[in-house]
Amino acid sequence: MAGRRVIPGFGLSLGFTLFYLGLLVLLPLAALVVKASSLGFAGFAQVLGSPQVQAALRVSFVSAAIAALGNGLFGLLLAWVLVRYRFIGRRAIDALVDLPFALPTAVAGIALATLYAPQGWIGQWFARADIQIAYTRAGIVVALTFVGLPFVVRTLQPVLLDLDAEVEQAARSLGASRWQTFSRVILPALVPALITGMTLAFARAAGEYGSVVFIAGNMPGQTEIAPLVIMTRLEQFDYAGATAVGAAMLAVSLLLLLAVNLLQAWTRRKLGGA
Amino acid sequence: MQGLATNHGSAGRVLDPGGGFVRRGLIGLALCFVALFLVLPLVAVFHGAFEKGWRLYLAAIAQPEALAAVKLTLLATAIALPLNLLFGLAAGWAITKFRFRGKNLLVALIDLPFSVSPVIAGLIFVLLFGMQGWFGPWLADHDLRVVFAVPGIVLATVFVTLPMVARALIPLMQDQGHDDELAALSLGASGLQTFWRVTLPNIKWGLLHGVILASARAMGEFGAVSVLSGHIAGRTNTLPLHVEALYNEYQFAAAFAVASLLALFALVTLALKSWVEYRTEGKAS
């Protein structure tokens, strides 16, 4: 509180922050909200009721959900190994976890499409079993899992580091097996962070475009993702259609963001009270 | 019982002694996953780039369209980065040095661009500046173009990288509090002196962290830029858009050659980022 009067620059820094944020984030998003509300309920229903749009939304959200589950599993494995074990190359792998954040999505997209194509290095092995990955929904899930991986690892790592070793030792000395210790003592402590990471991965995956369009078949009604529907509507100058789909997706991701914030506030309170 | 627990238990945080079966299995599984899922795509990019030899690689990169794409990508980054750096500093200063109402809401709003799909980030600027948009007619009257032109690409880049510096700075500045600044001010330093000589040296690593992440994202952004670019080769194509154009024309070797530049930059980003983290960890302990 003392800082308020002594430290200068409150008006300037807050003023600039609000001006910049208002101009570049709030005003453009307001344009989306205003345009969406001008469509009215009937306009929305017409766009969102079309089978093609519904199929695309389903493909995006279902694939994102499967990818988030995959991320939860592999993210838990990676976070555990990186925090608990020391081995050669650990630092390099820790750095590589951020690759999906650092690698441009278009580059990831063409690399994954090439790898999982029927003649690709990975795709050919599946082709022998008559399974096609690229240009199917499986390909979409692969790309979305790649994109969302860092979220779970990065939310779990600090929590794993903070876990109290004594609690585990107590469980072990009381006769719990390794697995019991993990599933009854460690895992429950990780669940909030795990859910947070998976929700972030889900939100990112649902809106993802660049890494998916190359490996998705982009067949309307089957392997077309919702962001691609927005893209094609825009190319056809169907701004109302693009806005309706965009507003629906934005509403879902904002709800998810709110859920994550509430979850974090709840865990903080719970941990603080304990 | 006690001895058994400490010998075999994975409870020891730093080391799991004895190199147990579970430990080796989990490390092996993680290594396989990383190799297949993260390393192999990188290898595929460089393999694809050099598959047809060095000459084609160099030709693909020296193409006028590719060079124009490099220039446009650097231009968009060079504009977006300083702006968001300034914003990050202002937001960090306001949020961490003062108390005011609605601070939590402000922090949440700063994160907003992260939760918006890139395609929607493009869409909102089309709704503002497109022909049917709020400012479209005015722009047309004054012969200005934003959508399908360079300003639109810059706007999209600014939008998607907006939270990055602020996000790197806010937790760091929160931890540091404002005792150092108060000390400097009470010793007679001016506000600007305090900022330059006290605050900035304190936050330089966090700042660098944010700048590294922001520039990686700025150079690699695809969806938002794709909506706002007219896809005119040599004029409104950034590097990722140029990669897409080559790939869709079945010029795979050239597409991967240009993509390898971006992949190389991503690897440099990761190396720099871990170096910065290593430095700051060393300092903390």
Side-chain angles (χ1 to χ4, degrees):
Chain A
M1 204 57 205
R4 181 161 206 160
R5 256 169 267 137
V6 185
I7 296 179
F10 177 65
L12 183 68
S13 61
L14 188 65
F16 179 73
T17 304
L18 293 177
F19 169 74
Y20 192 82
L21 208 57
L23 196 67
L24 282 157
V25 178
L26 299 183
L27 178 72
L29 285 173
L32 180 75
V33 173
V34 169
K35 176 84 181 165
S37 50
S38 77
L39 296 177
F41 182 75
F44 253 99
Q46 199 205 340
V47 177
L48 297 180
S50 98
Q52 190 196 345
V53 171
Q54 285 192 346
L57 285 170
R58 208 176 311 125
V59 168
S60 271
F61 284 115
V62 171
S63 311
I66 301 172
L69 286 177
N71 279 327
L73 198 68
F74 291 116
L76 180 60
L77 170 73
L78 275 178
W80 176 267
V81 166
L82 287 173
V83 171
R84 287 301 173 106
Y85 304 138
R86 293 291 173 271
F87 54 96
I88 298 166
R90 193 187 64 94
R91 269 205 171 272
I93 288 179
D94 196 22
L96 262 180
V97 166
D98 278 328
L99 182 73
F101 282 166
L103 194 67
T105 52
V107 178
I110 64 169
L112 292 173
T114 308
L115 279 177
Y116 289 90
Q119 295 86 33
W121 290 345
I122 297 178
Q124 56 177 305
W125 296 98
F126 286 96
R128 285 181 196 180
D130 255 344
I131 300 171
Q132 195 182 342
I133 294 194
Y135 322 120
T136 68
R137 288 188 195 177
I140 299 177
V141 172
V142 167
L144 295 183
T145 311
F146 178 84
V147 164
L149 185 71
F151 288 104
V152 176
V153 182
R154 294 304 181 222
T155 43
L156 276 180
Q157 269 177 325
V159 183
L160 264 172
L161 266 175
D162 273 354
L163 274 190
D164 199 349
E166 280 171 25
V167 182
E168 282 167 54
Q169 266 155 1
R172 294 282 292 165
S173 68
L174 290 172
S177 71
R178 253 171 201 275
W179 174 247
Q180 282 174 324
T181 312
F182 178 77
S183 61
R184 304 246 182 109
V185 177
I186 302 173
L187 203 57
L190 297 181
V191 164
L194 194 60
I195 293 176
T196 302
M198 284 167 67
T199 312
L200 291 174
F202 176 81
R204 167 77 200 263
E208 177 58 22
Y209 175 73
S211 57
V212 192
V213 279
F214 296 97
I215 198 170
N218 302 333
M219 279 274 288
Q222 283 170 28
T223 52
E224 188 183 42
I225 51 168
L228 184 63
V229 171
I230 299 178
M231 204 73 161
T232 35
R233 297 271 170 146
L234 274 174
E235 277 164 10
Q236 296 157 354
F237 300 103
D238 174 11
Y239 290 169
T243 303
V245 180
M249 291 190 64
L250 189 66
V252 173
S253 47
L254 289 185
L255 280 177
L256 285 172
L257 195 72
L258 186 70
V260 168
N261 278 323
L262 288 177
L263 178 73
Q264 278 168 341
W266 178 76
T267 16
R268 258 199 305 273
R269 232 187 359 256
K270 210 180 89 173
L271 290 179
Chain B
M1 203 63 197
Q2 187 77 34
L4 208 126
T6 38
N7 263 334
H8 298 278
S10 55
R13 173 176 301 159
V14 180
L15 275 174
D16 184 36
F21 171 72
V22 174
R23 170 180 180 267
R24 262 181 278 168
L26 288 179
I27 292 178
L29 207 61
L31 287 178
C32 284
F33 176 76
V34 167
L36 271 178
F37 215 67
L38 296 176
V39 178
L40 206 57
L42 267 183
V43 176
V45 170
F46 289 102
H47 179 264
F50 291 108
E51 205 175 13
K52 300 268 163 70
W54 273 98
R55 217 167 288 162
L56 208 94
Y57 181 85
L58 291 176
I61 288 173
Q63 244 189 343
E65 287 87 1
L67 292 179
V70 171
K71 242 183 251 169
L72 180 56
T73 304
L74 290 178
L75 175 75
T77 309
I79 297 174
L81 204 57
L83 282 176
N84 287 337
L85 185 69
L86 203 62
F87 168 73
L89 284 171
W93 188 264
I95 286 168
T96 63
K97 306 290 177 204
F98 307 98
R99 282 191 194 180
F100 54 92
R101 268 155 169 259
K103 191 192 274 188
N104 290 337
L105 181 68
L106 182 61
V107 174
L109 285 179
I110 291 175
D111 270 347
L112 210 50
F114 277 163
S115 48
V116 174
S117 165
V119 176
I120 296 176
L123 166 70
I124 55 180
F125 289 107
V126 172
L127 292 178
L128 272 187
F129 300 113
M131 282 308 283
Q132 305 171 30
W134 288 1
F135 303 111
W138 185 87
L139 286 171
D141 286 346
H142 293 76
D143 215 18
L144 296 169
R145 294 200 70 168
V146 174
V147 172
F148 306 141
V150 174
I153 291 171
V154 173
L155 268 176
T157 309
V158 172
F159 181 87
V160 295
T161 57
L162 187 135
M164 277 169 156
V165 177
R167 259 206 154 179
L169 286 183
I170 290 170
L172 179 71
M173 290 173 81
Q174 205 111 55
D175 275 355
Q176 287 172 349
H178 46 49
D179 294 350
D180 288 1
E181 281 81 7
L182 286 178
L185 289 165
S186 69
L187 290 173
S190 74
L192 213 56
Q193 278 174 326
T194 308
F195 177 75
W196 276 110
R197 305 248 179 108
V198 177
T199 310
L200 215 50
N202 273 346
I203 61 172
K204 65 178 183 224
W205 291 108
L207 204 60
L208 189 60
H209 201 248
V211 165
I212 291 168
L213 292 179
S215 49
R217 179 72 199 264
M219 292 198 190
E221 177 51 30
F222 180 71
V225 169
S226 181
V227 172
L228 289 163
S229 153
H231 297 278
I232 308 161
R235 298 237 328 261
T236 58
N237 267 358
T238 61
L239 270 177
L241 295 175
H242 186 56
V243 170
E244 182 202 23
L246 290 170
Y247 188 84
N248 287 342
E249 290 162 12
Y250 299 103
Q251 300 190 43
F252 295 129
F256 277 114
V258 178
S260 76
L261 291 181
L262 288 166
L264 197 66
F265 182 72
L267 285 176
V268 172
T269 302
L270 291 184
L272 273 175
K273 184 176 167 289
S274 2
W275 177 69
V276 169
E277 276 161 12
Y278 182 73
R279 285 289 310 246
T280 38
E281 267 167 39
K283 241 185 192 173
S285 58

